[in-house]
Amino acid sequence: MKRTIAIIAGGDSSEHDVSMRSAQGILSFINKDKYNCYIVEIKATSWQALLPDGSHSEVNRNDFSFATPQGIIKPDYAYITIHGKPGENGVLQGYLDLIKMPYSTGGVLVEALTFNKFTLNNYLKSWGIRVADSILLRHNQISSYNEEEIINRLGLPCFVKPNADGSSFGVTKVKEASQLSSAIQAAFKEDNEVMIESFLNGTEITCGCYKTKTECRVLPITEVVTDQEFFDYDAKYNGKVEEITPARIDPATAKRVSQLTSTIYDILGCNGIIRIDYILSGEPGNETITMLEVNTTPGMTATSFIPQQIKAAGLDIGEVLSQIIENSF
């Protein structure tokens, strides 16, 4: 019998609608001869399965079942494609663990760790992974920070961003001291913690990876080129970026990035497809590789990085998704 897959999307971050587009991408990629698929949209306490006739069916959170014209459906597996809370911070994973439903991402600890940028950076730094210097501010300590001390330590320009948030909102590249306070306030509107990070000049790249019991695959690297100040929401989703796969970097550098991506995957104990962003700085062929972010629910629209990289690797994305799903059984 076919397995039933719930593609869980939406969430409570500013990228709710982007997540829904990723869900449509996954729905189009999955092999329908193998799987019956339903998108489930989560927003706060509203959990709705989207049925083929366009109607919605409320999800019973006791077991994640929902009613259809053909009867009650209880999915066998959850493919999580929420960008932000609650699907990228471990909360949804904890719920799925409780009801014994396998899913596509890492577990609670992995997701909570990768969602918290400051904690992740300091954890990976303990493993010898190079990360940018950063400072953490908490909302209840907002009066205690000293702008001059921040700038003296991190320099200008610097980045101000929500610390635990899956979206690109609230991120500011601060080029002048007078901009710092307003940038911090903008980030606090998205999260109760703010990370201020030193600026790194160089080539931005991103590399996907997935592993199963029988497969270890690091995907071709993508080079990210944009005229924007940085790779912000506008660049990501409104086409103001050039994405070059494979990246125009030295083969020796590409090999080092691929090895580092695989190593980080194993250090964290990831599951399913992840994507890691980096900055390359210095002389071509001998660049310093700095880890920027680990994305455990990367975008999955037809034009997102991961589908591009899978295509560049000569792989069939439907088969890749099947491998990831079947790895849990």
Side-chain angles (χ1 to χ4, degrees):
M1 294 178 63
K2 290 184 182 180
R3 299 194 199 279
T4 298
I5 311 300
I7 304 169
I8 307 180
D12 302 323
S13 83
S14 302
E15 288 191 275
H16 177 100
D17 292 345
V18 176
S19 169
M20 294 302 295
R21 295 204 294 270
S22 285
Q24 290 293 340
I26 292 167
L27 182 64
S28 70
F29 300 142
I30 285 182
N31 188 335
K32 307 306 186 301
D33 292 332
K34 291 184 178 180
Y35 306 108
N36 296 314
C37 301
Y38 296 87
I39 293 174
V40 174
E41 181 178 11
I42 288 179
K43 190 169 186 179
T45 57
S46 173
W47 294 24
Q48 301 286 329
L50 312 186
L51 304 184
D53 63 3
S55 64
H56 294 185
S57 179
E58 184 174 356
V59 172
N60 180 342
R61 275 173 274 181
N62 289 316
D63 61 1
F64 211 77
S65 64
F66 49 89
T68 74
Q70 291 74 41
I72 300 295
I73 297 289
K74 185 179 182 298
D76 302 297
Y77 180 90
Y79 198 105
I80 301 170
T81 189
I82 292 176
H83 310 318
K85 302 172 185 176
E88 206 172 10
N89 63 351
V91 171
L92 181 59
Q93 287 79 5
Y95 161 78
L96 293 170
D97 285 341
L98 287 172
I99 64 168
K100 309 298 183 187
M101 184 180 293
Y103 48 86
S104 59
T105 70
V108 173
L109 179 59
V110 178
E111 298 305 305
L113 179 60
T114 54
F115 194 65
N116 189 299
K117 300 177 180 72
F118 185 80
T119 303
L120 174 68
N121 282 6
N122 282 278
Y123 178 69
L124 289 178
K125 187 160 60 174
S126 73
W127 286 83
I129 309 299
R130 183 181 175 87
V131 298
D133 190 17
S134 60
I135 293 171
L136 181 69
L137 304 179
R138 292 190 172 94
H139 204 282
N140 59 359
Q141 301 167 344
I142 191 168
S143 61
S144 65
Y145 73 85
N146 183 297
E147 291 186 14
E148 185 177 354
E149 290 177 2
I150 292 170
I151 292 170
N152 286 342
R153 174 171 162 180
L154 301 179
L156 291 173
C158 64
F159 279 105
V160 178
K161 57 183 74 173
N163 181 48
D165 189 77
S167 77
S168 304
F169 290 91
V171 181
T172 306
K173 182 179 179 182
V174 173
K175 295 187 283 186
E176 299 177 7
S178 61
Q179 300 172 331
L180 184 58
S181 179
S182 60
I184 290 170
Q185 294 301 324
F188 270 128
K189 289 180 181 178
E190 297 291 327
D191 188 47
N192 288 324
E193 293 184 338
V194 168
M195 184 172 76
I196 308 175
E197 193 173 49
S198 61
F199 171 73
L200 298 170
N201 191 30
T203 301
E204 185 164 352
I205 59 169
T206 187
C207 182
C209 179
Y210 69 92
K211 299 187 181 188
T212 67
K213 299 182 187 77
T214 59
E215 182 90 8
C216 173
R217 180 76 67 165
V218 181
L219 300 171
I221 299 161
T222 299
E223 180 181 350
V224 182
V225 182
T226 179
D227 292 331
Q228 304 290 96
E229 282 287 353
F230 59 97
F231 188 49
D232 60 3
Y233 185 92
D234 212 22
K236 279 185 183 179
Y237 303 119
N238 294 326
K240 297 184 178 180
V241 65
E242 184 179 5
E243 301 163 3
I244 302 166
T245 310
R248 301 169 299 181
I249 59 178
D250 187 276
T253 300
K255 183 177 181 180
R256 287 194 295 132
V257 170
S258 295
Q259 290 172 338
L260 181 57
T261 301
S262 179
T263 297
I264 293 173
Y265 191 107
D266 291 340
I267 287 171
L268 297 174
C270 294
N271 180 51
I273 302 176
I274 70 165
R275 200 192 79 233
I276 305 181
D277 303 336
Y278 303 94
I279 284 281
L280 302 179
S281 308
E283 181 183 350
N286 193 35
E287 296 97 334
T288 298
I289 305 169
T290 305
M291 196 282 301
L292 295 178
E293 188 171 357
V294 177
N295 302 277
T296 59
T297 60
M300 290 293 284
T301 68
T303 58
S304 296
F305 289 123
I306 291 298
Q308 288 184 51
Q309 293 177 5
I310 288 172
K311 183 178 180 180
L315 303 172
D316 178 79
I317 192 166
E319 182 55 36
V320 170
L321 294 178
S322 293
Q323 290 176 12
I324 290 166
I325 292 167
E326 294 304 321
N327 193 56
S328 293
F329 297 99

